[in-house]
Amino acid sequence: MLYFLLAIVLSAIFTFYRVMKGPSLPDRIAAMNSIGVMFLLVLVLLSYYFERKIFIDVALVYGVLLFVVVLMMAKYLKKIDKGGVGD
């Protein structure tokens, strides 16, 4: 269990490098979304480890919010491509 959490944290650290040095804005958004999914996985693993179902509920709500944020960012990027932001 500890090895899984360590692997996820190391993956999040490497992905955070992509957030900071990403070649483009969509790459950075995808990296931020990946970090969010990794955090969601950590919540699920902690729920299993501590045998607390409340962490699963929190993970579900967090997953829905993460999905909504990605949709909002995609819509914002679509406006940037059309030249609609700031006009």
Side-chain angles (χ1 to χ4, degrees), residues 15 19 27-39 62-63 66-67 69-70 73:
T15 307
V19 170
D27 292 329
R28 291 178 178 183
I29 291 172
M32 286 188 289
N33 187 33
S34 296
I35 291 173
V37 170
M38 288 178 212
F39 180 69
Y62 182 72
L66 188 64
F67 178 71
V69 167
V70 169
M73 287 183 186

Side-chain angles (χ1 to χ4, degrees), residues 18 21-28:
R18 178 56 56 198
K21 301 287 182 177
S24 66
L25 186 61
D27 292 329
R28 291 178 178 183

Side-chain angles (χ1 to χ4, degrees), residues 5-80:
L5 290 175
L6 183 64
I8 293 169
V9 169
L10 284 175
S11 297
I13 290 170
F14 290 136
T15 307
F16 186 71
Y17 175 78
R18 178 56 56 198
V19 170
M20 299 307 289
K21 301 287 182 177
S24 66
L25 186 61
D27 292 329
R28 291 178 178 183
I29 291 172
M32 286 188 289
N33 187 33
S34 296
I35 291 173
V37 170
M38 288 178 212
F39 180 69
L40 189 129
L41 183 59
V42 166
L43 282 174
V44 171
L45 288 174
L46 288 175
S47 171
Y48 176 76
Y49 182 73
F50 290 118
E51 298 177 358
R52 301 289 305 246
K53 293 184 181 182
I54 188 71
F55 291 154
I56 296 289
D57 295 338
V58 171
L60 286 172
V61 171
Y62 182 72
V64 169
L65 289 175
L66 188 64
F67 178 71
V68 169
V69 167
V70 169
L71 288 179
M72 288 176 18
M73 287 183 186
K75 190 169 185 172
Y76 178 73
L77 286 178
K78 186 177 176 184
K79 283 184 181 180
I80 288 176

